[in-house]
């Protein structure tokens, strides 16, 4: 492993991508500690240290602590993900919007509309956050009339900056930028969770035996997540002889690899983001919004049930978008392929059946893992920050994003080795 890392940093193009990724992630971590103008950071810090709740810990979970700091990046990339969810759902309802997304030029318009929608969501959530700040005694150092527009402008700009950084990481760095920003936020919470854990043991507020059991569960769940992320179902495909130009290609046998969890961490991120909206708006102290936020408290049964159903629903929804059985069957037929034992007109039905059988247990597993933080907190009476660290949502995101990033790095290294081999071969031929 050490040799692989050393070799990776010796490759100029890969080293450049890795350094760009780390540099942009560091920028977001610095921004997480820059408070909104007009906020008294010391007062806010003391308030959350005394009155931290499961809802604030949940909102901190995805922002890497930026929410409790009332940072300019307190909204993070969640408004952008929420808007993406809305547009993907609209594509199922509005055929013209789906047709527009399939066109290369139209997809750019969809991205533009998504950014406009993100600004609207940012304004609503930052307004809720600014109203919530007024409920903290002594938190504001400027008049309310000045603070609200400044907070809306700061949070909206900060969220759009996060989206821009995520896109630049995807374009010039390694991995999916938006997912890596969430990954970095979760990792940033680990030192604080460890401090709370050690302090709790020293103060006898945390049972060491319970903590040991939770740590064992942590490693067991990590192993399960890794095993589930790498599991695949291989569908055999046979291609007949065909003529392309002047060349004849013989029959080939290959397979389509269907992952047990084709959607990865996307359903968990989508479900968490969607449920984050009412929790954020509940901070406005508006009666019915507060009631909705209390109803969707992360430690209560209604939230757990809705969260589970959303994960399962988004798993099926995202799989149908990313792995369209109709398109796959069409491509197999167009290339002269067939699946042994399946008639060509039944390919769509067969692929859909296989996908549904794979996605259902995979999505249930995802939901079960995602519920572990709340179960750990309720059963072992651990602080919310510690439960979030050892919990399923963080593990799924951490393991899933890490595996995807490592696969991309591995592919880049293999391609680099291939180029180097070709160049060395050319140099040898020139010497001869």
């Amino acid at each position: 492993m050490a040799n692989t890392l050393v070799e990776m940093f010796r490759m100029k193009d890969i080293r450049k991508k890795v350094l760009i990724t780390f540099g942009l992630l560091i920028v977001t971590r610095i921004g997480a500690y820059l408070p909104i103008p007009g906020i008294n950071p010391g007062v806010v810090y003391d308030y959350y240290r005394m009155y931290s709740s499961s809802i604030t810990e949940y909102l901190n979970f995805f922002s890497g602590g930026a929410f409790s700091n009332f940072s300019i990046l307190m909204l993070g990339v969640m408004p952008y993900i929420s808007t993406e969810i809305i547009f993907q759902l609209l594509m199922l309802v509005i055929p013209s919007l789906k047709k527009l997304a399939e066109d290369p030029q139209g997809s750019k318009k969809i991205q533009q509309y998504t950014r406009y929608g993100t600004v609207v969501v940012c304004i609503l959530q930052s307004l809720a956050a600014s109203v919530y700040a007024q409920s903290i005694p002594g938190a504001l150092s400027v008049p309310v009339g000045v603070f609200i527009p400044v907070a809306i402008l700061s949070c909206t700009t900060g969220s759009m900056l996060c989206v821009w950084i995520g896109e630049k990481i995807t374009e010039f760095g390694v991995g999916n930028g938006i997912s890596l920003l969430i990954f970095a936020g979760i990792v940033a919470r680990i030192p604080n969770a460890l401090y709370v854990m050690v302090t709790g043991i020293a103060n006898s507020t945390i049972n060491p035996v319970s903590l040991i059991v939770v740590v064992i569960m942590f490693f067991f769940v990590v192993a399960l997540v890794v095993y589930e992320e790498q599991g695949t179902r291989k569908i055999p495909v046979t291609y007949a002889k065909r003529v392309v130009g002047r060349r004849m290609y013989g029959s080939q046998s290959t397979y389509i690899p269907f992952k047990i969890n084709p959607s990865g961490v996307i359903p968990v991120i989508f479900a968490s983001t969607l449920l984050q909206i009412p929790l954020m708006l509940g901070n406005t102290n508006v009666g019915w919004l507060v009631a909705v936020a209390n109803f969707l408290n992360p430690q209560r049964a209604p939230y757990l049930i809705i969260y589970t159903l959303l994960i399962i629903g988004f798993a099926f929804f995202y799989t149908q978008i990313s792995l369209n059985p109709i398109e796959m069957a069409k491509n197999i037929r167009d290339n002269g392929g067939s699946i042994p034992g399946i008639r060509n007109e039944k390919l769509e039905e067969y692929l859909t059946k296989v996908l549904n059988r794979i996605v259902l247990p995979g999505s249930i597993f995802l939901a079960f893992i995602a519920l572990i933080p709340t179960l750990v907190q309720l059963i072992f009476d651990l602080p919310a920050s510690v439960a979030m660290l050892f919990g399923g949502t963080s593990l799924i995101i951490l393991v899933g994003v890490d595996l995807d990033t490592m696969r991309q790095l591995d592919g880049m290294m293999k391609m680099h080795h291939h180029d180097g081999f070709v160049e060395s071969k050319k140099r040898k031929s020139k010497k001869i």
Side-chain angles (χ1 to χ4, degrees):
M1 182 65 181
N3 292 335
T4 304
L5 290 174
V6 171
E7 189 177 357
M8 181 183 72
F9 277 97
R10 285 177 179 172
M11 304 174 189
K12 183 179 179 181
D13 52 342
I14 299 180
R15 182 174 68 245
K16 181 180 178 182
K17 288 178 177 291
V18 171
L19 292 178
I20 288 174
T21 303
F22 275 115
L24 291 175
L25 290 178
I26 290 172
V27 170
T28 60
R29 295 317 310 154
I30 294 173
Y33 293 93
L34 298 178
I36 298 170
I39 282 287
N40 190 331
V43 172
V44 172
Y45 175 78
D46 293 337
Y47 176 83
Y48 278 115
R49 189 175 60 178
M50 295 177 63
Y51 301 105
S52 180
S53 65
S54 58
I55 294 178
T56 57
E57 286 297 335
Y58 181 83
L59 295 174
N60 263 329
F61 173 69
F62 289 102
S63 63
F67 181 82
S68 60
N69 295 332
F70 269 87
S71 158
I72 58 175
L73 303 184
M74 67 184 300
L75 300 181
V77 294
M78 291 308 168
Y80 178 76
I81 298 176
S82 302
T83 311
E84 270 196 328
I85 296 171
I86 294 171
F87 270 95
Q88 289 185 1
L89 292 175
L90 287 175
M91 288 179 193
L92 297 178
V93 181
I94 306 174
S96 58
L97 196 62
K98 182 179 180 181
K99 186 177 180 180
L100 181 66
E102 292 173 352
D103 183 66
Q105 296 298 325
S107 61
K108 293 181 180 179
K109 290 185 179 180
I110 295 294
Q111 291 178 359
Q112 189 176 7
Y113 296 154
T114 303
R115 291 188 179 93
Y116 293 153
T118 302
V119 172
V120 175
V121 175
C122 285
I123 291 173
L124 293 175
Q125 291 192 359
S126 57
L127 176 62
S130 62
V131 173
Y132 175 59
Q134 300 172 37
S135 65
I136 302 177
L140 303 185
S141 58
V142 295
V144 175
V146 176
F147 175 74
I148 291 179
V150 170
I152 292 174
L153 180 62
S154 300
C155 291
T156 303
T157 304
S159 184
M160 296 308 296
L161 175 64
C162 286
V163 173
W164 180 83
I165 289 176
E167 291 176 347
K168 293 305 173 184
I169 290 175
T170 304
E171 185 177 357
F172 299 108
V174 180
N176 183 289
I178 300 297
S179 299
L180 279 173
L181 290 179
I182 300 174
F183 176 91
I186 296 173
V187 171
R189 297 292 294 166
I190 292 178
N192 178 67
L194 293 176
Y195 172 77
V196 172
M197 185 172 62
V198 173
T199 305
I201 294 174
N203 297 334
S204 300
T205 56
I206 296 179
N207 188 340
V209 177
S210 299
L211 188 61
I212 291 173
V213 173
V214 171
V215 171
I216 294 173
M217 287 176 56
F218 171 82
F219 288 106
F220 178 70
V221 172
V222 168
L224 281 178
V225 172
V226 173
Y227 182 77
E228 188 261 353
E229 284 288 326
Q230 294 181 338
T232 57
R233 164 76 184 275
K234 298 178 180 180
I235 307 296
V237 180
T238 302
Y239 291 96
K241 292 182 179 180
R242 53 199 175 104
V243 178
V244 179
R246 295 182 178 181
R247 300 185 62 181
M248 176 177 286
Y249 293 87
S251 60
Q252 295 179 341
S253 295
T254 182
Y255 61 87
I256 303 173
F258 283 159
K259 293 181 64 177
I260 295 177
N261 179 25
S263 52
V265 299
I266 298 298
V268 176
I269 295 177
F270 276 13
S272 301
T273 305
L274 205 60
L275 288 175
Q276 192 183 37
I277 297 176
L279 294 178
M280 180 75 76
L281 296 179
N283 293 323
T284 57
N285 294 327
V286 178
W288 68 275
L289 288 176
V290 173
V292 171
N294 291 332
F295 178 76
L296 293 177
N297 189 306
Q299 290 186 320
R300 293 184 178 178
Y303 172 87
L304 300 179
I305 295 172
I306 295 173
Y307 189 38
T308 301
L309 294 176
L310 282 176
I311 290 175
I312 295 173
F314 278 127
F316 278 93
F317 167 70
Y318 192 80
T319 301
Q320 290 297 323
I321 292 178
S322 58
L323 297 174
N324 191 332
I326 298 175
E327 291 294 328
M328 293 176 67
K330 183 176 180 296
N331 291 334
I332 292 173
R333 279 194 294 262
D334 291 345
N335 289 283
S338 63
I339 297 176
I342 306 298
R343 297 171 62 182
N344 278 349
E345 60 269 20
K346 296 288 185 178
L347 286 179
E348 293 91 344
E349 182 182 342
Y350 174 75
L351 292 175
T352 302
K353 184 179 179 181
V354 171
L355 273 177
N356 289 339
R357 286 185 174 182
I358 292 174
V359 173
L360 181 59
S363 60
I364 293 175
F365 176 83
L366 272 180
F368 170 73
I369 297 297
L371 295 180
I372 289 179
T374 304
L375 299 177
V376 166
Q377 190 174 358
L378 293 176
I379 296 173
F380 297 100
D381 195 25
L382 293 177
S385 58
V386 178
M388 286 290 181
L389 170 63
F390 290 113
T393 304
S394 60
L395 291 182
I396 293 171
I397 295 175
L398 288 175
V399 175
V401 174
D402 180 66
L403 288 176
D404 288 341
T405 306
M406 293 305 294
R407 286 193 198 103
Q408 185 172 339
L409 275 172
D410 185 60
M412 292 166 60
M413 291 183 68
K414 287 180 179 178
M415 185 172 61
H416 190 280
H417 281 301
H418 179 70
D419 293 341
F421 174 76
V422 172
E423 290 174 0
S424 63
K425 188 175 180 180
K426 287 181 180 178
R427 285 196 295 269
K428 289 180 180 179
S429 62
K430 286 180 181 179
K431 288 180 181 181
I432 293 173

